Amino acid sequence: MADVKLVYRCQQCGYLSTKWLGRCPECQTWHSLAEEAQSRSRRRAVGASVEIGPPPTLAEIPCDQEERWLTGMGEWDRVLGGGMIPGSMVLLAGDPGIGKSTLLLQALARWGQNRKVLYVSGEESPQQIRLRADRLELDGGKIQVMAETSLEPILDTLQRHPVDILALDSIQTVSSRNLEVAPGSISQVRECAGQLMRLAKERAIGILVVGHVTKDGAIAGPRALEHLVDAVLYLEGDRTHAFRILRAVKNRYGSTNEIGVFEMKEGGLDEVPNPSRLLLAERPVGVSGSVVVCSVEGTRPLLVELQALVSGSGWVQPRRTSMGVDANRLSLLLAVMEKKLGFNFSQQDVFVNVAGGVRLVEPAADLAMMTALMSSTLDQPVPPGLVVWGEVGLAGEVRGVTHGALRVAEAIKLGFEQHLIPRSNADRLPADLTTGCMGMRSLREVLDSVFPSSGM
Ligand SMILES: Nc1ncnc2c1ncn2[C@@H]1O[C@H](COP(=O)(O)OP(=O)(O)OP(=O)(O)O)[C@@H](O)[C@H]1O
Ligand SMILES: [Mg+2]
């Protein structure tokens, strides 16, 4: 015991003090200093550099074939980067009621077939979880269930009864006794996540934590966890629509922006292997303001319908409403159309919507959004077999985007014959994909080719 000294470490910023302080002098947080044991002999060893050999080189580090645990749910496995890696920690975040617990239980039931799985819930009783599993008709009989909100009993249980996968629903309900602050506060969430992360790495457990997105869109405050965990998955969607998109916004073991598409049904979240077909099923043909765009999320091409409505405004300040696209981007594109093409939206309300409750984040949607705006303003529909994509710059130039061939191939697969795309992408397409492709350099060219009789 003589070899152990007590120190106090700030749980917020890591500041180390030899005595307890009510407030951290470094980050000014109250009650954030927690007791910690420090070994004297270890500190001496660190100072005695003569005994320490050089760190290993990359070539000397053993590298086993990476193991990945698959669920067999293609959409879920792909978003994880090809399955769960032992020793990794994944955050599953989303709005309340979007379907996080449902998706989690579905994945756990699959993993539970050949792995030891523990499901810890701080929000629901074991009976509620059982009822959900029955309702979803899941074969999850082997999943161990625990209703607990203190971190220490959870860690104790794992010490005594090791498992392969631990799921925690949700991180905001769990608290550690090390800190005397309320569950869900940033320091609690960080402390619990930090301890779980250590456990994951030490014992090669795959850990999944659910996180609620708070009102301002961040997880437990200002993205307190994103930098800590290995992967961050967001379950997105409009609760009034059946579609849910699982999006990897960070992944240390796979591609980010990768998406999986699900449909919420009575029996849970169903995979949608061909989402483009479903998303376009209700598209009105020959109607002005509707344009199909091909967006690529991760490695996944997605054809979706973009709708624009431009109508005379009775307001002093006309309305700009966008659903599924960024509102600032819409304002910018309207300004470019006014300046470069002579459109006038000063007396017009403008509404833009992405059908199916999908959210488009990449700039490749610019050109389609502008074509839909042109179509609605001129009240002229675009040809039914036309698909549009490309980024637009402030000078009205059409800029190339990534994955050109992938986008064209997906559109051809779904029966589209005309592709209005950036010239730089058209020039680089493989010969077998060039039929029906129109390479554009500027917005003016787009207006003249799609609406030759516009008179603008
Ligand atoms: N008994 C039920 N019958 C039919 N559908 C249900 C039932 N219970 C829940 N659902 C559907 O499942 C959806 C997702 O529920 P789930 O509990 O998985 O969401 P969640 O994201 O975990 O919510 P929370 O933030 O409250 O934990 C609900 O919005 C609802 O539409
Ligand atoms: Mg839940």
Side-chain angles (χ1 to χ4, degrees), residues 101-106 129-139 264-269:
S101 307
T102 306
L103 186 60
L104 187 66
L105 194 58
Q106 285 180 252
I129 298 168
R130 167 76 199 264
L131 279 174
R132 175 179 286 129
D134 288 350
R135 178 168 61 84
L136 303 175
E137 293 176 13
L138 295 177
D139 185 9
M264 181 60 96
K265 291 190 177 161
E266 192 59 23
L269 286 154

Side-chain angles (χ1 to χ4, degrees), residues 69 88 97 119 121 141 147 180 223 247 303 355 387 391 403:
W69 297 332
S88 70
Y119 183 173
S121 180
E180 286 178 10
R223 309 209 144 162
R247 191 187 295 270
L303 284 168
V387 60
E391 183 178 348
H403 302 298

Side-chain angles (χ1 to χ4, degrees), residues 211-366:
H212 294 288
V213 173
T214 48
K215 275 197 202 104
D216 57 357
I219 307 166
R223 309 209 144 162
L225 283 184
E226 288 197 358
H227 68 282
L228 192 98
V229 296
D230 294 308
V232 181
L233 314 181
Y234 273 92
L235 189 60
E236 308 173 341
D238 183 341
R239 254 182 291 169
T240 54
H241 286 88
F243 285 107
R244 299 285 181 274
I245 291 190
L246 184 69
R247 191 187 295 270
V249 294
K250 164 181 169 174
N251 195 346
R252 285 185 183 143
Y253 303 108
S255 136
T256 49
N257 272 336
E258 195 62 77
I259 62 160
V261 184
F262 297 88
E263 196 181 354
M264 181 60 96
K265 291 190 177 161
E266 192 59 23
L269 286 154
D270 251 17
E271 289 180 72
V272 181
N274 190 346
S276 300
R277 201 174 293 280
L278 249 148
L279 285 167
L280 294 181
E282 289 173 305
R283 179 171 69 110
V285 176
V287 174
S288 64
S290 161
V291 168
V292 175
V293 57
C294 188
S295 175
V296 173
E297 310 286 342
T299 55
R300 192 81 189 272
L302 202 63
L303 284 168
V304 276
E305 183 200 351
L306 248 168
Q307 296 178 325
L309 181 68
V310 180
S311 70
S313 176
W315 304 89
V316 179
Q317 184 148 23
R319 286 197 286 177
R320 306 282 181 253
T321 306
S322 66
M323 281 161 287
V325 287
D326 181 40
N328 291 330
R329 196 78 196 162
L330 171 62
S331 302
L332 184 147
L333 298 180
L334 288 174
V336 173
M337 284 175 75
E338 289 191 328
K339 188 85 180 169
K340 299 293 165 188
L341 298 177
F343 281 83
N344 184 355
F345 296 110
S346 61
Q347 305 289 314
Q348 308 282 329
D349 285 335
V350 176
F351 307 90
V352 172
N353 177 39
V354 184
V358 177
R359 192 165 63 87
L360 296 177
V361 288
E362 57 157 12
D366 289 355

